[in-house]
Amino acid sequence: MAINYPNGKSYNPQKNNSENRTKKDYSFSNRGKTLEDEINETNEYYLQRSTAVIHKKPVPIQVVKVEYPSRSAAVIKEAYYRTASTTDFNGVWNGIHLDFEAKETKNKTSFPLKNIHAHQIDHMRLVTEQKGVSFLIVRFSEINKYFILPFPALMTAWDEMIKGGRKSIPFEYFEEHAYEIVPGAFPPIDYLKGVTKMLSEEPVK
Amino acid sequence: MAINYPNGKSYNPQKNNSENRTKKDYSFSNRGKTLEDEINETNEYYLQRSTAVIHKKPVPIQVVKVEYPSRSAAVIKEAYYRTASTTDFNGVWNGIHLDFEAKETKNKTSFPLKNIHAHQIDHMRLVTEQKGVSFLIVRFSEINKYFILPFPALMTAWDEMIKGGRKSIPFEYFEEHAYEIVPGAFPPIDYLKGVTKMLSEEPVK
């Protein structure tokens, strides 16, 4: 079934090759960019304008075997992806330490909490205790909606799940507790606008 | 020739296999730990005590080929080390964004600036402009001396090199412009003590 987007374009989902880990989950409405691409481009935009210095951390990889061909660069011949112990992005913005995770979902009515790991929640809690600003950026890809969910609101939903509550955060919870980011062309998602609004309502103690 | 250390132990340098990138440069006087090991242990110590949340960033690796054996984890079969575009460590400490690089040298009289890349200097400058606190931790391994060199002092030495000046920072420059860290057993190098002293004399604007 074709889905109609507000911009009038239609989208026909294709069969996803789940075995190919390098293949990215492209969403037509965002011109083929993943959320990570959009944030990286936005960070580059901030960097060029001296607005903020925020980078994605490299994916942690456990290297097992390396070969050293003569006169060539070292070649890693066996390695494995490791689970990240922190969040994907961090940096500094006018004296404020920012630390966040970014996730996209195809769900239209809720964000599944299985996308977040317990150690990431622990990390975000520790960052908040150190007076850093931690949050989650969520893209609801199918409806092209973006939100900044402050860590305290994420923590509340997480704690409820731990106590046997629901395993996903309803879309309405985002409308109530998160800050919407309106996507644009350049930068793709000006999330610091949302963070500014968040800090005006929930200042760092 | 054997070198005598202040602790009375002697050290016989062995031929270094420079082709083996995974082999680490162990210094006997530090019980086989690299500076990176010491900082990682110190960061773990800070984390356990809720003092600060500081992590080493993963080494950036360009993955070229991945295989997916059935019922097993993905295996990276071809990958290459990439040059890091930022520094090795960052995090947050009581509202302060910290960002630093750590380097050890076997030189006893100076620190060779070839250990630092131009893009790292650029990154540290940008972090400083955003009111983050940036510095370099240097270990003079052969004499077991540790220093925190504030970014402005590093920048001054770097700029002089660019203008045709010397390609290394003399030990005396560290004695004058850096903050010494006295190594210990637990944590191995309590560098936040040095940062505290640095900030009391050179507060963030």
Side-chain angles (χ1 to χ4, degrees):
Chain A
M1 192 187 81
I3 298 159
N4 285 313
Y5 276 94
N7 59 10
K9 287 172 184 168
S10 68
Y11 168 69
N12 289 296
Q14 302 208 332
K15 197 163 169 261
N16 201 12
N17 180 1
S18 65
E19 276 190 11
N20 190 344
R21 191 168 174 163
T22 53
K23 213 168 216 176
K24 286 178 177 176
D25 176 22
Y26 292 126
S27 162
F28 183 78
S29 65
N30 293 286
R31 293 142 294 150
K33 285 178 195 161
T34 63
L35 175 59
E36 186 179 311
D37 290 338
E38 293 178 306
I39 295 177
N40 285 338
E41 275 181 43
T42 303
N43 288 344
E44 186 59 34
Y45 174 95
Y46 292 150
L47 201 62
Q48 295 299 330
R49 278 152 193 79
S50 299
T51 307
V53 184
I54 301 155
H55 290 279
K56 184 181 182 296
K57 288 177 214 166
V59 177
I61 288 173
Q62 180 71 46
V63 175
V64 175
K65 202 170 121 194
V66 187
E67 286 181 6
Y68 302 87
S70 56
R71 291 166 215 277
S72 304
V75 188
I76 296 163
K77 300 296 280 184
E78 186 186 350
Y80 299 89
Y81 290 103
R82 282 188 355 227
T83 307
S85 56
T86 64
T87 46
D88 268 356
F89 298 90
N90 80 359
V92 61
W93 170 49
N94 195 25
I96 300 169
H97 177 87
L98 300 181
D99 187 296
F100 59 100
E101 186 66 24
K103 294 287 180 194
E104 49 196 313
T105 180
K106 288 189 167 183
N107 277 32
K108 288 175 213 158
T109 55
S110 69
F111 173 77
L113 280 165
K114 66 166 193 258
N115 283 311
I116 309 287
H117 301 291
H119 54 258
Q120 292 181 313
I121 296 285
D122 289 342
H123 171 74
M124 294 169 97
R125 184 178 49 76
L126 290 165
V127 164
T128 305
E129 283 170 10
Q130 288 300 325
K131 298 175 194 156
V133 172
S134 197
F135 51 91
L136 177 69
I137 296 182
V138 171
R139 173 169 105 177
F140 287 91
S141 301
E142 303 283 302
I143 52 174
N144 206 29
K145 287 271 191 186
Y146 298 73
F147 292 98
I148 291 173
L149 186 67
F151 174 68
L154 171 62
M155 187 78 195
T156 301
W158 182 269
D159 283 348
E160 279 183 21
M161 179 188 70
I162 298 296
K163 283 184 269 173
R166 60 179 296 171
K167 292 183 171 60
S168 64
I169 305 178
F171 186 81
E172 295 72 35
Y173 189 86
F174 284 89
E175 291 186 306
E176 194 173 341
H177 298 285
Y179 298 85
E180 191 169 354
I181 313 165
V182 180
F186 192 65
I189 49 160
D190 193 359
Y191 65 86
L192 286 180
K193 260 192 195 165
V195 176
T196 301
K197 190 154 191 295
M198 176 176 89
L199 290 177
S200 72
E201 297 182 18
E202 307 178 28
V204 185
K205 278 153 210 109
Chain B
M1 193 187 77
I3 298 158
N4 285 312
Y5 277 93
N7 59 10
K9 288 173 182 166
S10 68
Y11 167 70
N12 289 295
Q14 301 208 333
K15 197 164 171 259
N16 200 12
N17 181 359
S18 64
E19 277 190 9
N20 190 344
R21 192 169 173 166
T22 54
K23 213 170 217 176
K24 287 180 175 174
D25 176 23
Y26 291 127
S27 162
F28 183 78
S29 64
N30 294 285
R31 293 143 294 145
K33 284 179 196 160
T34 62
L35 175 59
E36 186 178 312
D37 290 339
E38 294 178 304
I39 295 176
N40 285 339
E41 276 182 43
T42 303
N43 288 343
E44 187 59 33
Y45 174 94
Y46 292 150
L47 200 61
Q48 295 299 329
R49 278 152 193 79
S50 299
T51 309
V53 183
I54 301 155
H55 290 279
K56 184 183 182 297
K57 287 177 215 165
V59 177
I61 288 173
Q62 180 71 46
V63 175
V64 174
K65 202 170 120 195
V66 187
E67 285 180 7
Y68 302 87
S70 55
R71 292 167 214 276
S72 304
V75 188
I76 296 163
K77 300 296 280 185
E78 187 186 349
Y80 299 89
Y81 290 105
R82 283 191 351 230
T83 307
S85 56
T86 65
T87 45
D88 268 357
F89 299 89
N90 81 357
V92 61
W93 171 49
N94 194 25
I96 300 169
H97 177 88
L98 299 181
D99 187 297
F100 59 99
E101 185 66 22
K103 294 288 178 191
E104 49 195 314
T105 180
K106 289 189 167 183
N107 277 32
K108 288 174 215 159
T109 55
S110 70
F111 173 77
L113 280 165
K114 66 167 193 259
N115 284 309
I116 309 286
H117 300 292
H119 55 259
Q120 292 181 314
I121 295 285
D122 288 342
H123 171 74
M124 294 169 96
R125 183 176 50 75
L126 290 166
V127 164
T128 305
E129 284 171 8
Q130 288 300 324
K131 298 175 194 154
V133 172
S134 197
F135 52 90
L136 177 69
I137 296 183
V138 172
R139 173 168 105 177
F140 287 91
S141 301
E142 303 283 302
I143 52 174
N144 206 29
K145 287 271 191 187
Y146 298 73
F147 292 98
I148 291 173
L149 186 66
F151 174 69
L154 171 61
M155 187 78 197
T156 301
W158 182 269
D159 284 347
E160 278 182 22
M161 179 188 71
I162 298 296
K163 282 185 269 176
R166 59 180 297 171
K167 292 183 171 58
S168 64
I169 305 178
F171 186 80
E172 295 73 35
Y173 190 85
F174 284 89
E175 292 185 307
E176 194 173 342
H177 298 284
Y179 297 85
E180 192 168 353
I181 313 165
V182 180
F186 192 67
I189 49 160
D190 193 358
Y191 65 86
L192 286 180
K193 261 192 195 166
V195 176
T196 302
K197 191 157 191 295
M198 176 176 89
L199 290 177
S200 72
E201 298 184 16
E202 308 177 28
V204 186
K205 278 153 212 110

